[in-house]
Amino acid sequence: MRRLSKYQFSILFVSLFVAVVGCDGVKKHRQPLKASAADSVLFDVGTQKDYEQMRHLADSFEVAGVISPLNANRWRGVSYYHEGHYRLSEMYYKKAVECKIENNEDQLSYNKCARRLSELLLVKGDYESALRVAIPAVKKMDESGIGSDIDYAILLNNIGCCQLNLGQDKEANESFLKAREHYANRWQSDSTSRGFQEAVQGTVYTSMAYINTRRYAESIYWIDRTEMLLGKYRQCPDARTDYFDEYQGRIEIMRAVAKQGLNKPDEAAQAYQAFLKTDYSRTGPGHINANDYLVAAQRYGEAAYNYRFLDQTLEHWGMEPSLDNIQLYMLPKYRANAEAGRRDSARVMGERILMLLDSAITEQKNSSTAELATIYDTQGKEAEIANQQAKLSRQRLWATGVALVLIIVFFLIYTLHRRSATQRLTAAHEKLQIAYDQLEEATALRERIESELRIARDIQMSMVPNIFPDREGLDIYASIEPAKEVGGDLYGYLLMGDELYFCLGDVSGKGVPASLFMAQATRLFRTLATQHMMPAEIATRLNSALSEDNEQGMFVTMFIGRIDLKKGCMDYCNAGHNPPFMGDLSGGSFIDMLPNAPIGLWPDLEFDGERMDDIRGRLLVVYTDGLNEAENQSQEQFGDDRLVELLQTMGDAKAQKVVETLRAAVEEHRQGAEPNDDMTIMCLRIS
């Protein structure tokens, strides 16, 4: 007889176990052994890289009650992550961390989900959302007492990277130091080399965070610490030899960039020479990473030579020519060739960028639409799981009901006329079944619609920042108060050194199309702002991208601004939006601005911008028409006059106080009436 492998035996064991549970009565509590057995099977399937089977088993185990919803969503997130579907992976990790924690096993799964989710959000630059995941996770581990040192270390390191990118230097340093302590506890208690390897990876992220925010002096400390940890890892008997050279190369190129940023060119060149001695420097990724230093040192000829390996490196990384990759890799390649005097190469690269840009923008739009459609499709899968659970419950109830019916029929045969009794019973059953089916169908339809609207709203809310920079001399706050259905209001800001870019807009229409249009506008604003464009040019570029293939005629009114925080001057462009309010201690009024068309209606428009030389000490309030057009039970609007009168009394109030006062005034004006539109308010003041 052929023997079963360990993997096959595990599948058979849990399958038989599920079958027994399905035939048994409903249990109120899960046994830890059940969850452990199911986790072992799912882990074994993962080692086989059969991720579709992993999701299938997670669905089956959740239906049978063997694993909790939190743990099932965790395994779905794991499967999509290893398949490279990071958006779907992010969605299921979010579902997992939102589930109720019922036992210690759930707490452990929650820790792993929070670690991975905060990392995904950090990598894509959504620092506010990453903090909203990581900070509560650390708090829950402290409260429950359940969490390993590596859980704490990775979460604290993610928190520190986010805080650093948001300008919270002191808090970031504290987070990194706490993470360092937990990494130390990890390798001191682990007999393998895994602890040192994880610590090296963590300090590399920390070093890069300081370099990317141009805090070069602080980065040197973490670069030196990374090299120290790599040396300890090298001494472990089970350490990977191929690991040493790659990370030694990454350490040297980070040191070269930091020294160049500190205006120490000789030390930077020395670190670069050490980098060239590694095998990693001769790989495709090594050539591309080396350009961080070469461009900073204005060694454009060498950088242009390295960029010959760009195409094969992007192919090795599996990267497509998206807007982000054009900005991160192809534009620097063009600049390096141009600065090196290689005009023919620069011209060829420029033509290629122009060729790829159109398809990249179209792919960006299609990707956003397809992503939302995929998310909606997963709701059908969740509904199927819910139906299977209901079916299993009905089967259990049906088995009990059959036994009762048999007993009743047995007595009815001898005491009543069998035919008339059977007819009455059949008729009653048919009526109940019809009523039940109708109720179930109506309930499922209503829940699906509500679920889809909630998901669309959650996607929209995740795209606007809810954490604002803590910087001396800058006071900024904003909020969105949604109406019942999804809409198209948006706001955003980007703080880069002494430049503050901000925008606020209102997309035409309602529903999912408006939210998709809003998502595209928000993404394009952030991309263009990182290129330090003026507001009028940003509006022109937005209009060119959003008007293309805009068959539904959608548009967005938008106010875009750029403030020099040192000089106090503000450049701005108003694209068909409500005029903002500008005030001071002596009063204030709406800004008189040049007219511009809304964004997205007509291609080839050139938008006009304006400037205020000094706005320091003055209050700026930007809003959507959900504020001044808010209606009460008698359909009377809040109105511009009432808005100005209220803002003139605010004096030197903080930005958050101004926004909360306006929201309270509108709520009082409505007198219980439902909101007729989304209301978005942004307030800022610089000193």
Side-chain angles (χ1 to χ4, degrees), residues 115-271:
R115 280 169 46 185
R116 183 70 74 186
L117 177 57
S118 61
E119 176 184 298
L120 286 169
L121 295 170
L122 169 62
V123 168
K124 75 175 188 179
D126 191 354
Y127 307 120
E128 297 90 351
S129 297
L131 288 176
R132 287 197 295 269
V133 172
I135 291 176
V138 172
K139 183 178 179 181
K140 286 185 179 181
M141 287 194 297
D142 287 336
E143 293 172 350
S144 65
I146 299 173
S148 65
D149 281 301
I150 193 59
D151 291 334
Y152 277 103
I154 293 177
L155 283 167
L156 288 167
N157 206 71
N158 292 344
I159 290 171
C161 290
C162 292
Q163 290 170 330
L164 197 61
N165 279 281
L166 292 172
Q168 302 172 3
D169 295 15
K170 181 180 179 182
E171 294 82 353
N173 183 61
E174 293 174 356
S175 298
F176 288 139
L177 292 177
K178 290 180 182 177
R180 185 184 68 178
E181 295 175 3
H182 287 287
Y183 277 127
N185 293 338
R186 164 72 166 170
W187 76 62
Q188 289 170 3
S189 61
D190 192 353
S191 60
T192 69
S193 63
R194 183 67 178 171
F196 286 109
Q197 184 177 346
E198 292 164 341
V200 169
Q201 293 171 343
T203 50
V204 164
Y205 282 133
T206 304
S207 303
M208 289 304 302
Y210 277 109
I211 290 174
N212 291 337
T213 54
R214 299 183 181 181
R215 294 164 171 83
Y216 301 115
E218 295 90 338
S219 70
I220 293 296
Y221 167 81
W222 291 102
I223 293 170
D224 291 340
R225 180 165 182 80
T226 304
E227 189 169 35
M228 180 271 291
L229 292 171
L230 185 63
K232 290 183 177 292
Y233 176 71
R234 194 189 303 266
Q235 298 171 10
C236 298
D238 62 334
R240 289 168 41 196
T241 55
D242 59 331
Y243 192 87
F244 306 144
D245 182 82
E246 175 185 348
Y247 274 83
Q248 187 64 50
R250 295 177 67 176
I251 288 169
E252 296 300 342
I253 203 64
M254 288 191 300
R255 181 177 284 114
V257 174
K259 292 293 186 180
Q260 188 69 33
L262 291 171
N263 198 23
K264 297 180 179 180
D266 293 337
E267 296 181 30
Q270 184 179 358

Side-chain angles (χ1 to χ4, degrees), residues 568-572 582 591 610-615 618:
C569 62
M570 179 177 74
D571 296 283
Y572 61 93
M582 178 70 77
I591 301 175
E610 301 177 74
R611 164 175 280 209
M612 289 188 178
D613 293 330
D614 193 352
I615 66 167
R618 306 177 72 184

Side-chain angles (χ1 to χ4, degrees), residues 405 408-409 412 420-430:
V405 169
I408 294 172
V409 169
L412 288 176
S420 59
T422 302
Q423 290 176 346
R424 289 195 299 272
L425 183 61
T426 301
H429 178 268
E430 290 177 351

Side-chain angles (χ1 to χ4, degrees), residues 236-511:
C236 298
D238 62 334
R240 289 168 41 196
T241 55
D242 59 331
Y243 192 87
F244 306 144
D245 182 82
E246 175 185 348
Y247 274 83
Q248 187 64 50
R250 295 177 67 176
I251 288 169
E252 296 300 342
I253 203 64
M254 288 191 300
R255 181 177 284 114
V257 174
K259 292 293 186 180
Q260 188 69 33
L262 291 171
N263 198 23
K264 297 180 179 180
D266 293 337
E267 296 181 30
Q270 184 179 358
Y272 181 64
Q273 289 301 316
F275 164 76
L276 292 178
K277 294 178 182 179
T278 65
D279 294 335
Y280 175 71
S281 68
R282 293 180 286 277
T283 65
H287 283 293
I288 302 305
N289 288 337
N291 284 350
D292 292 342
Y293 162 71
L294 293 174
V295 171
Q298 298 183 4
R299 295 165 64 170
Y300 298 113
E302 296 173 70
Y305 173 86
N306 281 353
Y307 273 123
R308 296 187 309 160
F309 302 91
L310 177 60
D311 290 342
Q312 69 182 57
T313 303
L314 292 180
E315 183 179 355
H316 174 71
W317 287 339
M319 291 185 176
E320 298 294 334
S322 64
L323 291 174
D324 287 341
N325 291 333
I326 289 173
Q327 178 186 356
L328 291 174
Y329 299 106
M330 297 182 183
L331 286 176
K333 180 177 180 179
Y334 168 83
R335 179 189 173 195
N337 280 284
E339 295 288 347
R342 300 182 178 184
R343 296 182 179 180
D344 291 341
S345 298
R347 178 180 55 80
V348 171
M349 194 62 204
E351 291 174 354
R352 185 181 178 198
I353 289 173
L354 290 175
M355 180 182 68
L356 293 175
L357 196 57
D358 181 71
S359 60
I361 292 174
T362 302
E363 182 64 23
Q364 184 92 358
K365 294 178 181 178
N366 294 338
S367 176
S368 297
T369 304
E371 181 177 275
L372 190 58
T374 302
I375 292 173
Y376 282 171
D377 183 61
T378 61
Q379 307 312 306
K381 184 176 181 180
E382 293 181 353
E384 182 180 348
I385 293 174
N387 289 336
Q388 290 175 357
Q389 290 176 322
K391 182 179 179 181
L392 186 61
S393 298
R394 288 197 299 270
Q395 287 176 344
R396 292 169 177 167
L397 292 173
W398 178 253
T400 304
V402 167
L404 293 174
V405 169
L406 288 175
I407 295 173
I408 294 172
V409 169
F410 175 78
F411 286 102
L412 288 176
I413 290 174
Y414 295 98
T415 57
L416 300 172
H417 296 287
R418 184 175 60 184
R419 181 175 300 176
S420 59
T422 302
Q423 290 176 346
R424 289 195 299 272
L425 183 61
T426 301
H429 178 268
E430 290 177 351
K431 291 180 180 179
L432 287 173
Q433 186 63 42
I434 292 172
Y436 177 81
D437 291 342
Q438 292 175 342
L439 177 61
E440 186 179 47
E441 182 178 356
T443 302
L445 178 60
R446 185 181 68 253
E447 290 177 350
R448 179 176 180 180
I449 293 173
E450 292 175 350
S451 175
E452 289 180 350
L453 289 176
R454 281 197 304 272
I455 291 173
R457 171 57 64 183
D458 290 344
I459 293 173
Q460 182 183 10
M461 291 299 101
S462 69
M463 293 179 181
V464 297
N466 293 313
I467 297 178
F468 301 94
D470 182 12
R471 173 171 173 153
E472 185 177 358
L474 172 61
D475 183 17
I476 180 172
Y477 187 79
S479 74
I480 289 182
E481 182 177 330
K484 286 186 176 180
E485 60 181 350
V486 295
D489 274 16
L490 63 98
Y491 72 83
Y493 76 88
L494 196 62
L495 180 60
M496 297 179 291
D498 294 324
E499 287 184 308
L500 173 68
Y501 281 85
F502 64 95
C503 73
L504 184 142
D506 186 358
V507 176
S508 63
K510 293 287 187 291

